Amino acid sequence: MTTVTARTVEYAADGLTMIGHLALPAGAGRRPAVLVGPEGMGLGDVERRRAEALAGLGYVALAFDLHGGRYLGDPEEMLARCLPLLADPERMRGIGHAALDVLRAEPRTDPDRIAAVGYGTGGVIALELGRDGAGLRAIGTVNGLATGRPGETARIRCPVWAGVGSEDPIVPPAQRDAFTAEMQAAGVDWRLTVYGGALHAFHHPPVDHATVPGVGHHPGHARRAWRDVLDLLSECVPVAE
């Protein structure tokens, strides 16, 4: 682990002033970078800690914002914003590209070695960046397995890893099947890990506010999913080439 420095970064996206969390490893040279996307509630301490953990491993990491600096702990408010967003690929791509531009502009970032890892809504945004032809080295998505518009998935030119809980009612088996069929038909290098007995957002520690039905933390699978993310990064964007 290396010494980490972190700071907030402001940038415009989706008509809002977004407030991301940028974490940098020790040193002065360029490093591979990771864009970290949050669940639908928005950027919180969980994603900030993940960005800093990645920086501790030698990555430049930006946890991006969804809601203009707000964390939407009220399920109804979160769904009112996220459902229209998830139905609009161009809006999702705009949010993703704005954050990706910030990450690329960071002097410590190696612009040719960037991965995107997202959770829930953030994972769908990572996939939409790939479908839009963004130059990513890897895409990881946890319980965000939305399918895209016909023909666009063939633009993904990097490995895709996806993780989902077997008991996730928000991403049921039919949706998993549609996602994997889409990846296979497009010729994407894809993998899917199904975590037995896990619900939606199983990776996220318990929260002190109401959640949508079907959400539940699974400590064991949360640890395994994090290791799977690190394995993806180690394979596709190793810190030392």
Side-chain angles (χ1 to χ4, degrees):
M1 298 288 285
T2 61
T3 302
V4 170
T5 58
R7 66 176 188 269
T8 59
V9 290
E10 294 189 5
Y11 58 97
D14 202 39
L16 300 169
T17 298
M18 300 297 190
I19 304 174
H21 187 74
L22 179 68
L24 303 173
R30 287 190 166 184
R31 296 287 189 272
V34 185
L35 195 63
V36 181
E39 288 277 356
M41 297 173 292
L43 178 57
D45 288 341
V46 170
E47 292 78 25
R48 294 184 185 99
R49 288 195 297 268
R50 285 180 177 143
E52 291 175 12
L54 290 170
L57 296 172
Y59 294 95
V60 176
L62 174 64
F64 66 84
D65 187 8
L66 293 177
H67 309 308
R70 300 183 64 213
Y71 177 88
L72 305 184
D74 179 280
E76 292 187 4
E77 184 180 15
M78 182 271 291
L79 290 173
R81 174 159 169 81
C82 285
L83 290 180
L85 176 62
L86 289 166
D88 191 335
E90 297 307 323
R91 280 183 66 198
M92 287 191 287
R93 292 174 184 186
I95 289 173
H97 277 296
L100 187 58
D101 288 346
V102 171
L103 185 57
R104 281 207 174 102
E106 164 55 45
R108 297 291 310 283
T109 295
D110 180 342
D112 295 322
R113 292 195 292 156
I114 299 178
V117 175
Y119 297 82
T121 300
V124 179
I125 289 174
L127 288 167
E128 285 302 320
L129 283 173
R131 293 181 179 117
D132 200 37
L136 299 170
R137 287 289 190 94
I139 295 170
T141 175
V142 182
N143 53 257
L145 306 188
T147 52
R149 294 182 293 199
E152 292 188 336
T153 299
R155 297 177 183 171
I156 298 176
R157 294 299 182 213
C158 65
V160 171
W161 170 82
V164 65
S166 69
E167 306 308 302
D168 185 344
I170 298 172
V171 187
Q175 189 167 332
R176 300 201 304 257
D177 291 345
F179 173 80
T180 59
E182 175 191 25
M183 293 290 124
Q184 185 66 20
V188 175
D189 177 0
W190 66 273
R191 287 169 284 173
L192 174 67
T193 302
V194 180
Y195 298 95
L199 294 169
H200 192 73
F202 66 89
H203 62 89
H204 199 291
V207 295
D208 60 0
H209 56 75
T211 62
V212 295
V215 167
H217 182 51
H218 193 299
H221 286 324
R223 290 190 295 270
R224 294 176 184 123
W226 180 245
R227 288 197 298 267
D228 287 338
V229 166
L230 297 183
D231 286 345
L232 175 73
L233 298 177
S234 178
E235 175 189 340
C236 299
V237 281
V239 171
E241 282 197 326

